[in-house]
Amino acid sequence: MPTRPRLTALLAVATAAIALAGCSAAVPASPVAAADTPGAAPADRSKPQVVAIGDSIAFGKGVRPDEAWPALLASQYGWTLTNLAVSGSGFVKPGWDGDTYGEQVDTALGLHPDYILIAATRNDREQDPARVASSADDLLGELHDAFPRARIIGITTVWGADKPPATVAAVNGIVQKAVTDAGGTFLDIGHPLSDHPELVQADGIHPNAAGERAVAKAIEDRLLAAQT
């Protein structure tokens, strides 16, 4: 997993690659994204660019790509989305492909986001809190240093219809500190799926299309409140 001291080297390599490839490489025709990314689309530089870093719920497991909450937000606000989220991943927990949020951030460093969405995740709830905090601090610091003008928006863990364990609140607190320390906005969206089994898929974990809409609505409401 990369740490902040690697940021200068990563940016130097990216700058050199662009210089060698010529001006046409500055804005790739197809943004680089994870192999299973559902929300990636050809970049439209006339619109603000948003990158989503997250887990299977941000990925939209079990729903259409355009039904995942990052895609719903992008549609609502007129953003062009590159969804880097990977099922099973977290700041420390590796996803299905063996990668953590660190690899998603590595990919984001090669893009040109105006907004960065980053989700706390249930996948880190059983990980060492000190490791989660260290990773979150490093990765949010890298994003801020690389994109000082981008708006970083963090959100709390999306849980299912049942009551979340105390470890989820602990992860949320860790990510909140990392986001705010990086100058970002952290949104506590509560638990929009709580006591609503009709919004959750049969696995009891992932929101269905209606559940994803409920999550997106909760984020929009908190964004609006943060701007007033």
Side-chain angles (χ1 to χ4, degrees), residues 26 33 61 113 119 183 201 218-219:
K61 183 176 181 180
Q201 297 178 43
I219 296 171

Side-chain angles (χ1 to χ4, degrees), residues 1 90-92 100-102 130-140:
M1 179 181 298
F91 284 97
V92 173
T100 67
Y101 279 17
R131 290 186 62 202
V132 176
S134 177
S135 175
D137 289 343
D138 284 347
L139 297 182
L140 268 299

Side-chain angles (χ1 to χ4, degrees), residues 12-224:
V13 170
T15 302
I18 290 172
L20 289 171
C23 294
S24 62
V27 181
S30 298
V32 177
D36 63 344
T37 295
D44 178 357
R45 295 304 302 176
S46 67
K47 297 181 178 181
Q49 306 294 300
V50 59
V51 169
I53 294 167
D55 56 11
S56 57
I57 296 172
F59 172 89
K61 183 176 181 180
V63 300
R64 295 197 316 264
D66 63 331
E67 293 176 327
W69 67 258
L72 295 173
L73 287 180
S75 177
Q76 173 70 20
Y77 290 103
W79 298 334
T80 295
L81 171 69
T82 301
N83 192 343
L84 302 176
V86 173
S87 294
S89 65
F91 284 97
V92 173
K93 174 71 166 55
W96 71 268
D97 59 356
D99 291 344
T100 67
Y101 279 17
E103 284 72 25
Q104 295 180 45
V105 168
D106 276 354
T107 302
L109 294 177
L111 304 175
H112 308 277
D114 300 293
Y115 296 89
I116 300 166
L117 304 174
I118 187 161
T121 174
R122 61 184 291 145
N123 297 328
D124 283 327
R125 70 191 187 282
E126 295 179 355
Q127 304 301 311
D128 177 8
R131 290 186 62 202
V132 176
S134 177
S135 175
D137 289 343
D138 284 347
L139 297 182
L140 268 299
E142 286 190 23
L143 290 169
H144 172 72
D145 290 348
F147 310 113
R149 297 182 181 179
R151 183 176 182 186
I152 299 173
I153 301 170
I155 72 160
T156 46
T157 299
V158 177
W159 194 259
D162 58 336
K163 183 179 180 180
T167 49
V168 166
V171 170
N172 288 340
I174 288 169
V175 179
Q176 178 178 15
K177 181 179 184 302
V179 169
T180 54
D181 284 353
T185 300
F186 190 79
L187 306 176
D188 184 348
I189 66 168
H191 300 291
L193 308 180
S194 180
D195 296 324
H196 289 285
E198 75 278 6
L199 299 180
V200 181
Q201 297 178 43
D203 62 9
I205 296 174
H206 298 93
N208 55 28
E212 292 277 2
R213 289 195 298 271
V215 171
K217 177 64 165 54
I219 296 171
E220 290 175 23
D221 289 346
R222 295 304 300 148
L223 274 175
L224 181 61

